[in-house]
Amino acid sequence: MFDAMDVGILSFVIAALAADWGLNSTQMGWIGSINSIGMAVGALVFGIFADKIGRKQIFMWTLIIFSVASGLSALTTTFVAFMILRFFVGMGLGGELPVASTLVSESVEAKERGRVVVLLESFWAAGWLIAAIISYFVIPAEFWPIEGWRVALILTAIPAFYAVYIRMHLPDSPQFAAKPEAKNRSIMQNMAGVWKKKYVRSTLMLWILWFTVVFSYYGMFLWLPSVMVGKGFDLISSFKYVLIMTIAQLPGYFTAAWFIEKFGRKFVLVTYLIGTAASAYVFGNAETVTALLISGILLSFFNLGAWGALYAYTPEQYPMVIRGTGAGMAAAVGRIGGIFGPLLVGYLLKLEYSIGSIFAIFCVSILIGAAAVLFLGKETKQTELEL
């Protein structure tokens, strides 16, 4: 929830900063991309250390890093300083996401593991809702002498206090605690382990899937408020429409959580990714408020349902000793896609490409991810995690 609140607020802040600081579309794209560069580094580094130090410790430190850096970014007065702090925000976020899903996967029985992880990820929608509400009421408001977007970013520092509760009350993964010798493996051993013959097909599938999903998600969703403005809506109306679209994420998660144990991981991922691709194409070419809202709602529904399944599916591909490393490396490859997505939109808008043609690129990307799961993926429904 806190992760999504931070990412969600950034998408609204980008639109506000463009007005306040006179940013062009390329600079706006770089704000989203620097966040993803940090996430790529964080996913790789903290995923690896989760296998050396433990899931709980890394989970706690990533939470502190992204919360504090996000709060400090509210105090910046230059574009460069803002970008530097957003890199550290991204590092914390990128590390926390795969480590949290790995921790939960290792703490739940096989028969309900997929459902619980998807429900865990459903709080991403709650965070986006909070971000949309804060952005709607706070960013346009005047808190003299502080701009509304600064107040919104200060609120994102609050999750740092949650780390105190985690340190005192959250247990570490029972699987990790039961196998202390895992700490003795070298980092290079763990990184090489994901490419062993037994796991090479899973690793290739995950890297394609993560890249295509993250590339399209950040390319589309970080630009949603700005795209709405580009289609002729004012900033306030755009925030309101994005809030409505965000609410659709919840049923997307809940239906995915139900189907994932009934029909399996591959069914949910392939079906929801195809739904995402179709919705993205219609959204990019929509000309009326009705078409924009309906396709935007379906885009949120299918895309976030697929995200939930992705986080449930990823840790299930590897044994415990390399699970954090494998999940972290896959997420890091995905974040590379997250770097190029927002940059591509900014660059193509500058070249005066239509929103429709830009969203068609994301449509194709998502279909490639669905094909990777269909042809390379293995079904892991209700199987015990490998030790």
Side-chain angles (χ1 to χ4, degrees), residues 76-155:
T76 55
T77 55
T78 67
F79 178 68
V80 173
F82 187 81
M83 293 275 282
I84 291 168
L85 283 165
R86 290 316 303 186
F87 171 82
F88 286 103
V89 173
M91 269 195 76
L93 285 170
E96 194 275 329
L97 288 162
V99 171
S101 58
T102 299
L103 172 58
V104 173
S105 291
E106 293 176 345
S107 306
V108 181
E109 291 181 35
K111 63 181 181 181
E112 56 182 3
R113 183 178 62 241
R115 182 172 296 145
V116 170
V117 175
V118 176
L119 290 174
L120 161 72
E121 296 304 321
S122 73
F123 278 81
W124 181 271
W128 257 92
L129 281 172
I130 293 169
I133 291 166
I134 289 171
S135 300
Y136 184 69
F137 290 107
V138 174
I139 291 179
E142 288 295 327
F143 299 88
W144 191 88
I146 306 172
E147 295 98 329
W149 63 265
R150 294 186 190 275
V151 176
L153 287 174
I154 289 168
L155 293 175

Side-chain angles (χ1 to χ4, degrees), residues 368-383:
I368 291 170
V373 177
L374 187 62
F375 296 111
L376 297 175
K378 62 180 181 181
E379 184 52 65
T380 53
K381 182 179 77 167
Q382 296 180 4
T383 56

Side-chain angles (χ1 to χ4, degrees), residues 36-289:
S36 290
I37 292 170
M39 289 180 95
V41 174
L44 180 62
V45 171
F46 293 121
I48 289 168
F49 278 101
D51 284 334
K52 294 285 290 177
I53 299 168
R55 288 43 165 151
K56 175 183 172 177
Q57 292 293 332
I58 297 299
F59 177 50
M60 186 174 66
W61 279 109
T62 53
L63 178 68
I64 292 170
I65 289 167
F66 86 72
S67 301
V68 171
S70 190
L72 288 174
S73 68
L75 309 177
T76 55
T77 55
T78 67
F79 178 68
V80 173
F82 187 81
M83 293 275 282
I84 291 168
L85 283 165
R86 290 316 303 186
F87 171 82
F88 286 103
V89 173
M91 269 195 76
L93 285 170
E96 194 275 329
L97 288 162
V99 171
S101 58
T102 299
L103 172 58
V104 173
S105 291
E106 293 176 345
S107 306
V108 181
E109 291 181 35
K111 63 181 181 181
E112 56 182 3
R113 183 178 62 241
R115 182 172 296 145
V116 170
V117 175
V118 176
L119 290 174
L120 161 72
E121 296 304 321
S122 73
F123 278 81
W124 181 271
W128 257 92
L129 281 172
I130 293 169
I133 291 166
I134 289 171
S135 300
Y136 184 69
F137 290 107
V138 174
I139 291 179
E142 288 295 327
F143 299 88
W144 191 88
I146 306 172
E147 295 98 329
W149 63 265
R150 294 186 190 275
V151 176
L153 287 174
I154 289 168
L155 293 175
T156 62
I158 293 171
F161 297 103
Y162 189 51
V164 178
Y165 174 84
I166 291 169
R167 184 179 178 84
M168 288 167 37
H169 299 290
L170 185 74
D172 208 333
S173 156
Q175 283 199 7
F176 186 84
K179 210 166 183 179
E181 66 270 20
K183 296 180 181 180
N184 299 327
R185 290 172 57 92
S186 72
I187 288 171
M188 292 310 295
Q189 261 184 301
N190 288 346
M191 291 180 73
V194 305
W195 286 106
K196 280 187 176 178
K197 188 176 181 181
K198 186 177 179 181
Y199 307 113
V200 67
R201 185 168 171 158
S202 293
T203 298
L204 181 62
M205 179 272 299
L206 283 179
W207 284 26
I208 295 170
L209 178 61
W210 270 92
F211 183 90
T212 55
V213 168
V214 182
F215 167 76
S216 54
Y217 175 82
Y218 281 93
M220 292 187 296
F221 279 80
L222 275 180
W223 279 90
L224 272 185
S226 304
V227 166
M228 300 290 279
V229 171
K231 284 183 176 280
F233 300 100
D234 61 64
L235 197 61
I236 308 300
S237 296
S238 300
F239 286 0
K240 183 171 67 180
Y241 292 138
V242 173
L243 174 58
I244 293 167
M245 291 175 202
T246 304
I247 294 169
Q249 293 180 12
L250 285 167
Y253 279 119
F254 295 153
T255 53
W258 172 257
F259 290 141
I260 203 164
E261 297 299 1
K262 195 171 180 67
F263 301 117
R265 280 66 163 148
K266 287 183 68 173
F267 171 84
V268 171
L269 276 166
V270 173
T271 304
Y272 279 60
L273 286 172
I274 291 172
T276 302
S279 305
Y281 183 79
V282 175
F283 182 87
N285 291 282
E287 297 293 339
T288 66
V289 174

Side-chain angles (χ1 to χ4, degrees), residues 299-382:
L299 182 64
S300 289
F301 175 91
F302 285 116
N303 191 261
L304 276 298
W307 266 104
L310 175 61
Y311 274 107
Y313 194 47
T314 301
E316 295 175 339
Q317 307 299 314
Y318 301 108
M320 192 281 296
V321 291
I322 59 169
R323 188 167 293 129
T325 302
M329 288 174 73
V333 170
R335 301 306 167 188
I336 294 170
I339 295 165
F340 291 115
L343 279 179
L344 180 70
V345 177
Y347 179 72
L348 293 179
L349 284 175
K350 198 172 182 180
L351 294 177
E352 298 184 349
Y353 278 76
S354 70
I355 296 295
S357 56
I358 293 170
F359 270 64
I361 294 170
F362 297 130
C363 174
V364 172
S365 168
I366 294 160
L367 290 175
I368 291 170
V373 177
L374 187 62
F375 296 111
L376 297 175
K378 62 180 181 181
E379 184 52 65
T380 53
K381 182 179 77 167
Q382 296 180 4

